[in-house]
Amino acid sequence: MIDPGDHRLRQREYLLQISRAITAQLDLVSVLSLVIGFAVEMTAGTSGLIALYDEDGADELRIRASARLPRADWPAFARLLSLPLGDLNRHGEALLREVAADTGLPLRQMIALPLTLRDTPVGVIYVFRAALNVAFSLDDYQVLQDFADQAAIAVSNARLYQSVLREKQRLDATIEQSADGVMIIDGRWRITTFNKAMEVLTGWPREEALGRPCAEILGIQSAQGTNICLVDCPLQRMPFATNPVVEGRLLTRDGRELYVQSRYAPQRGAMGQFIGAIANVRDITAQKQDEELQSTFISVISHELKTPVSIIKGYAGTLQRDDATFSVEQYREGLAVIEDEADRLARQIQDLLDVSRFAAGGIRLELADFPLPALAAAVVRALGPASGERFELELRFPDDMPPVHGDYERVRQIFANLVSNAVKYSPDGGTIRVGGWPEGDFAVCHVADQGAGIAPEEQAAIFRRFYRVDNRLRRETQGSGLGLYLVRAIVEAHGGRIWVESQLGKGARFVFTLPLGRRQLAE
Ligand code: ADP
C-alpha cells in the first residue's frame, strides 16, 4: 500500500519538475512527455497520451505526446479522439475495446480531462489502465487535473513563445527589406542588427559589422573631416531629443564617397537610461548634388549673364555721353564690343535653354546625311580672324570621308564648342587639329590642342553640368561649365560616345563618334 503522504510529496516534486521544465523553455513536446509520464505514474495508469487541438481553430485532436504507447499505434486512437468528452461515459468503453483489439495494447479503463486555457479547450489528457477491477477514484481525477493544468500552461507558454518568435521574424524581414539602411545598436553603441541596405550603403558585410562600435562602421564626417559619430554623437550630446539627425559625408569601405543622413530613435529603460537606438540611414548624395547644382546654377547665371550686360551697358552709356566726343573709329570699336557681348549673351542663354531641354527629356534631332569636312572647315574659318595669329589650324579628313547621319546644327555646335575650348585653354597658342575617319558604322572625330591639358582625375568631371577645373585658367577665362555637358548630351543623342585623352600640360584630345550616313551603310 502506498503511503498517501509519500504520494503527495512525489506529486509535488513532479509538478515542480514540470514547472521548471516549462520555464527552462524546453520544447513543448518534451514538456508534454514529462507531464504525461508523471501523470500516468501518479494515477497508477499503464499508459496515457496528450492530444491538442490545432492552433488554427480546427476541432480535431492530434496526439502530441504519450507514455508507454508506441508511436506506431497512435493512429489507432483516432476514433477515440474524435469522440466528444461528454460522450466518453457512454461510448468510451466500447471504443477503447476496439482500440485495444486493433493494437493488442492492454487498455481496459480510461480517464480523460480537458486541458483548458482561459476557458478555451486546447486539448485532452488521457490515462489508461490495464486492470479491470480497480476503478479510477475522485482522487485520481484531482491528481490528473493538476497535471492537466500544468500541460495547459506549457501549451500557453509555447504558443506565446511561438507568436513572439513569429513577430520577431516578421520585424526582422521588414528591417531586412527596408530600402533605407537600418541599424540597431545596444546600450554600449555596438551594432546588433545591420540590414542589407546598410551593407550596400557602407560596403561592410553584415558578419563583420555586427558587434563593432557604430562610429567605426558609420563614421559620418563633418565638412571639416571630423568623425561626427565619434566626437559629436547626437545621442550623447542631446540625450533627450526624440529623433536626432546627423548628416554628412560617408567614406564607404569600398572607397565610395556618399552624403548620408542618419536619423536615430533612442530607446530608454525604465529609469530613462540609454539602452540602445535604431538608426535609419539614407543616401542623400543625389539630393545634395541637386542642391549644389542649384546654387552653382544661380551663381553661374548671375555671373555669366550679368557680365556681358554690364559691359554692354557700360559701352552704350559711354558712347551716349554729351561731354565727350568720339571718333568714328571709337564708335565702331564700341559698337563691335557691344555686338560681341550681345552674341555671348545670346549663346549663354541658348546654352541654358539647351540644358533645361536636355534635362526635360532630350532634344529633337533633325537628321540628315551631310559631309563633315565642310562643316569642320566652316567652324575653323569662323574662328580664324580672332585666333589665326596665335594658332596653327589643321583639318584632317580622308578624301573619301563618307557623310555622317545627324543634326547639322547640333553637330556644328559640338565642333564649335570643342574648338573654342581648344583656343580658350591653350594660352600659349599651338596647333589645333580637327579631323575624323570612318570606322565600322561610325565616324571617329577629334579636336586636339597643345594647351593646358586635363589631369586624369578631372577627365570624367569636366563633362558634368557647371563643372570647371579649379586652376589659374578658370579665373582667367570666361565660361559656365555647360559646353562639354551639352557636347556630350548631343553626341549621346546621336548614339555616339565622347571621351578625352590628355595629360596635364600636354594638350588635350577630345574624341567622339557619330553615326555614318544611312546611304553609306546600305551600300
Ligand atoms: P567652360 O569652358 O565654360 O568652363 P566646358 O564645359 O566647355 O565649360 O568645359 C569644362 C571645363 O573643362 C573647363 O572649365 C576646363 O577646365 C576644362 N576643359 C575643357 N576643354 C579643355 C581643353 N581643351 N583643355 C583643357 N581644359 C579643358
Side-chain angles (χ1 to χ4, degrees), residues 351-380:
D351 277 359
L352 285 169
L353 286 177
D354 278 350
V355 167
S356 57
R357 248 178 234 141
F358 277 113
I363 39 160
R364 272 217 337 267
L365 298 177
E366 289 183 17
L367 298 170
D369 287 1
F370 56 86
L372 267 189
L375 178 147
V379 169
V380 168

Side-chain angles (χ1 to χ4, degrees), residues 321-334:
R321 278 169 66 165
D322 298 331
D323 57 343
T325 46
F326 298 105
S327 65
V328 174
E329 196 56 30
Q330 283 169 319
Y331 268 116
R332 281 224 180 95
E333 260 173 39

Side-chain angles (χ1 to χ4, degrees), residues 249-270:
R249 271 187 335 133
L250 175 71
L251 296 174
T252 68
R253 199 188 193 194
D254 45 343
R256 287 167 296 136
E257 187 181 323
L258 303 176
Y259 204 89
V260 297
Q261 183 189 64
S262 182
R263 190 176 287 275
Y264 300 91
Q267 296 169 311
R268 312 209 165 273

Side-chain angles (χ1 to χ4, degrees), residues 113-132:
L113 279 179
L115 311 182
T116 49
L117 207 62
R118 289 179 292 277
D119 295 334
T120 315
V122 291
V124 181
I125 182 167
Y126 298 83
V127 174
F128 309 105
R129 268 187 191 160
L132 254 182

Side-chain angles (χ1 to χ4, degrees), residues 157-189:
N157 261 19
R159 291 193 173 160
L160 279 176
Y161 181 69
Q162 282 305 323
S163 78
V164 169
L165 205 66
R166 267 199 304 275
E167 211 45 54
K168 182 173 174 340
Q169 281 165 348
R170 199 173 310 155
L171 194 68
D172 284 350
T174 312
I175 289 178
E176 182 62 9
Q177 281 153 22
S178 160
D180 286 349
V182 178
M183 168 176 91
I184 302 181
I185 53 173
D186 63 15
R188 289 165 53 239
W189 317 97

Side-chain angles (χ1 to χ4, degrees), residues 113-401:
L113 279 179
L115 311 182
T116 49
L117 207 62
R118 289 179 292 277
D119 295 334
T120 315
V122 291
V124 181
I125 182 167
Y126 298 83
V127 174
F128 309 105
R129 268 187 191 160
L132 254 182
N133 49 351
V134 200
F136 281 107
S137 66
L138 260 181
D139 224 30
D140 289 329
Y141 270 95
Q142 191 52 54
V143 169
L144 193 65
Q145 185 62 58
D146 287 345
F147 285 105
D149 290 347
Q150 291 293 310
I153 292 172
V155 170
S156 159
N157 261 19
R159 291 193 173 160
L160 279 176
Y161 181 69
Q162 282 305 323
S163 78
V164 169
L165 205 66
R166 267 199 304 275
E167 211 45 54
K168 182 173 174 340
Q169 281 165 348
R170 199 173 310 155
L171 194 68
D172 284 350
T174 312
I175 289 178
E176 182 62 9
Q177 281 153 22
S178 160
D180 286 349
V182 178
M183 168 176 91
I184 302 181
I185 53 173
D186 63 15
R188 289 165 53 239
W189 317 97
R190 308 225 165 234
I191 298 171
T192 59
T193 299
F194 198 76
N195 75 348
K196 180 99 205 105
M198 209 59 197
E199 291 188 309
V200 174
L201 211 67
T202 60
W204 279 85
R206 183 188 335 234
E207 316 80 71
E208 287 186 55
L210 290 177
R212 284 188 196 246
C214 58
E216 187 184 327
I217 307 298
L218 191 74
I220 299 180
Q221 293 187 0
S222 68
Q224 291 73 39
T226 47
N227 184 336
I228 305 176
C229 294
L230 207 57
V231 301
D232 196 22
C233 171
L235 290 170
Q236 291 178 357
R237 188 163 40 82
M238 307 182 286
F240 294 102
T242 29
N243 278 123
V245 178
V246 173
E247 252 187 51
R249 271 187 335 133
L250 175 71
L251 296 174
T252 68
R253 199 188 193 194
D254 45 343
R256 287 167 296 136
E257 187 181 323
L258 303 176
Y259 204 89
V260 297
Q261 183 189 64
S262 182
R263 190 176 287 275
Y264 300 91
Q267 296 169 311
R268 312 209 165 273
M271 313 295 287
Q273 79 279 23
F274 177 78
I275 55 169
I278 302 174
N280 213 276
V281 189
R282 206 170 260 199
D283 178 359
I284 54 166
T285 315
Q287 189 183 326
K288 208 69 198 167
Q289 278 170 350
D290 272 359
E291 279 169 25
E292 274 168 24
L293 212 62
Q294 199 67 21
S295 75
T296 319
F297 183 75
I298 290 166
S299 71
V300 167
I301 298 251
S302 53
H303 178 257
E304 286 299 312
L305 299 187
K306 267 159 103 183
T307 312
V309 170
S310 54
I311 295 175
I312 291 171
K313 194 160 165 43
Y315 270 84
T318 309
L319 294 181
Q320 277 187 62
R321 278 169 66 165
D322 298 331
D323 57 343
T325 46
F326 298 105
S327 65
V328 174
E329 196 56 30
Q330 283 169 319
Y331 268 116
R332 281 224 180 95
E333 260 173 39
L335 289 173
V337 171
I338 289 176
E339 192 179 16
D340 277 356
E341 292 301 316
D343 283 348
R344 191 148 78 88
L345 197 58
R347 272 200 309 276
Q348 289 292 352
I349 292 171
Q350 188 56 47
D351 277 359
L352 285 169
L353 286 177
D354 278 350
V355 167
S356 57
R357 248 178 234 141
F358 277 113
I363 39 160
R364 272 217 337 267
L365 298 177
E366 289 183 17
L367 298 170
D369 287 1
F370 56 86
L372 267 189
L375 178 147
V379 169
V380 168
R381 214 177 312 117
L383 206 70
S387 328
E389 305 118 45
R390 286 203 296 133
F391 292 95
E392 292 275 320
L393 299 169
E394 211 179 276
L395 273 175
R396 272 199 200 162
F397 287 96
D399 290 340
D400 54 353
M401 179 74 197

